[in-house]
Amino acid sequence: MNIINIENARVFLSGREILKNINWQVKRGERCFILGANGAGKTTLVRMLMGYAWPLFGARVEVLGHRFGTVNLQEVRRRIAWVSPLMHQWLNSERNWTGREMVLSGPDATIGLFRDPTPEEEARAASLLRSLRAEELAEREVSTMSSGEQVKVLLARALMTDPELMILDEPSVYLDIAGREFLLRTIAELAESHPQLTIIFITQRIEDILPEFSRGMILRQGEILSYGERSEVLTEQNLRRTFDLDIRLIRAANGRLWTVIE
């Protein structure tokens, strides 16, 4: 079953065509990456998936089995977990929320807890933090955590609603090398522990694409340059066209790809 089905989608913003003839399908349980340079259209594609940007008439956008235009989008969004670096600016508010409180705010879609949680919610939050090996963050104030630790809390918060689709929108963009590797290990563990969860990973860094992401897409100037199996998409030829650089790929023993500019 396709959990995402987009056909013939063109999106214009401020009179400019941002996405051009997008045709894309993702099956339930797949781990799919979206790679592209700045300005390639990655953010607009996410906005379309969430129902915040609309394609021209004649397109078909279906997410979680519902065709946009015939469904309450708020109900669909509740089944999607979205994790973005933009959320970090909301974490360091005037009130010092703990990791536990931030995770428990997930079902309310708030940043911080403004009610008494149920015992079931408390148990689920503790279980999620355990599954992400982040139990020690429960009583820590979020403002004292590293960026990598904050992302773990955001992941647990996103999972509180038992989502069917998770969108990781450039989650490592503000992290240093140690924080990035910390995050990628967490994502690998998440993929292993939640086999039915469909995960979309959006990035502009080839080395961030874990082997767990077996299918993917490259966007270039609003168009799909390549789409399919990882080995077919992540080629030197495709990457040279994507970034307009003379890129050579080096494959590490763990299956990750690293780039050298010649």
Side-chain angles (χ1 to χ4, degrees):
M1 172 185 172
N2 288 333
I3 205 164
I4 295 172
N5 180 43
I6 298 176
E7 299 175 8
N8 306 315
R10 299 171 64 202
V11 176
F12 283 76
L13 297 175
S14 301
R16 178 168 163 258
E17 190 173 16
I18 307 299
L19 293 178
K20 308 169 186 176
N21 195 35
I22 300 297
N23 291 277
W24 180 44
Q25 291 78 38
V26 177
K27 290 185 170 62
R28 184 178 299 277
E30 275 188 353
R31 280 68 203 264
C32 181
F33 64 84
I34 301 173
L35 176 69
N38 285 335
K42 303 187 299 296
T43 297
T44 302
L45 181 59
V46 172
R47 291 179 63 193
M48 184 169 65
L49 286 177
M50 299 292 290
Y52 295 120
W54 285 81
L56 293 184
F57 180 79
R60 187 181 191 95
V61 178
E62 295 176 335
V63 178
L64 302 176
H66 297 286
R67 183 171 182 176
F68 285 11
T70 66
V71 66
N72 182 336
L73 287 175
Q74 200 59 36
E75 293 300 318
V76 176
R77 289 173 187 145
R78 287 196 182 101
R79 297 160 61 192
I80 302 173
W82 173 64
V83 177
S84 165
L86 295 175
M87 300 181 77
H88 284 282
Q89 62 185 309
W90 303 332
L91 294 180
N92 299 316
S93 60
E94 292 181 3
R95 180 164 174 179
N96 293 321
W97 301 105
T98 65
R100 167 188 156 275
E101 290 169 325
M102 195 61 66
V103 173
L104 285 166
S105 73
D108 297 335
T110 58
I111 301 297
L113 188 62
F114 297 94
R115 64 173 174 84
D116 292 330
T118 67
E120 292 78 13
E121 289 172 329
E122 290 274 15
R124 179 162 178 77
S127 174
L128 286 169
L129 285 170
R130 266 196 314 275
S131 72
L132 294 170
R133 300 183 185 178
E135 307 99 308
E136 74 282 0
L137 301 179
E139 300 308 322
R140 286 258 309 276
E141 292 180 359
V142 175
S143 60
T144 69
M145 297 178 191
S146 69
S147 295
E149 290 171 333
Q150 287 183 352
V151 171
K152 277 202 170 189
V153 169
L154 289 175
L155 287 171
R157 176 183 177 277
L159 291 168
M160 276 294 291
T161 57
D162 197 21
E164 297 175 56
L165 171 64
M166 175 172 280
I167 300 173
L168 301 172
D169 186 4
E170 301 201 57
S172 65
V173 68
Y174 296 135
L175 303 182
D176 60 19
I177 293 175
R180 179 188 67 187
E181 295 305 310
F182 183 92
L183 168 64
L184 293 177
R185 286 195 301 272
T186 301
I187 293 172
E189 292 166 0
L190 176 67
E192 182 179 357
S193 60
H194 293 74
Q196 298 304 312
L197 178 64
T198 307
I199 305 176
I200 307 297
F201 184 80
I202 300 163
T203 186
Q204 54 184 301
R205 299 173 179 169
I206 295 94
E207 63 269 20
D208 282 4
I209 303 173
L210 295 167
E212 282 79 2
F213 292 89
S214 58
R215 292 181 62 81
M217 168 202 301
I218 294 179
L219 281 178
R220 183 178 185 272
Q221 298 178 357
E223 297 183 276
I224 297 177
L225 177 77
S226 181
Y227 167 55
E229 295 296 321
R230 174 192 180 91
S231 60
E232 300 170 353
V233 174
L234 295 179
T235 66
E236 291 179 348
Q237 181 181 7
N238 284 341
L239 296 176
R240 286 168 179 167
R241 291 179 62 194
T242 301
F243 296 101
D244 294 320
L245 292 170
D246 193 5
I247 290 174
R248 181 164 62 88
L249 286 175
I250 298 174
R251 184 180 300 275
N254 62 6
R256 285 173 65 185
L257 296 171
W258 299 80
T259 57
V260 174
I261 309 301
E262 295 185 331

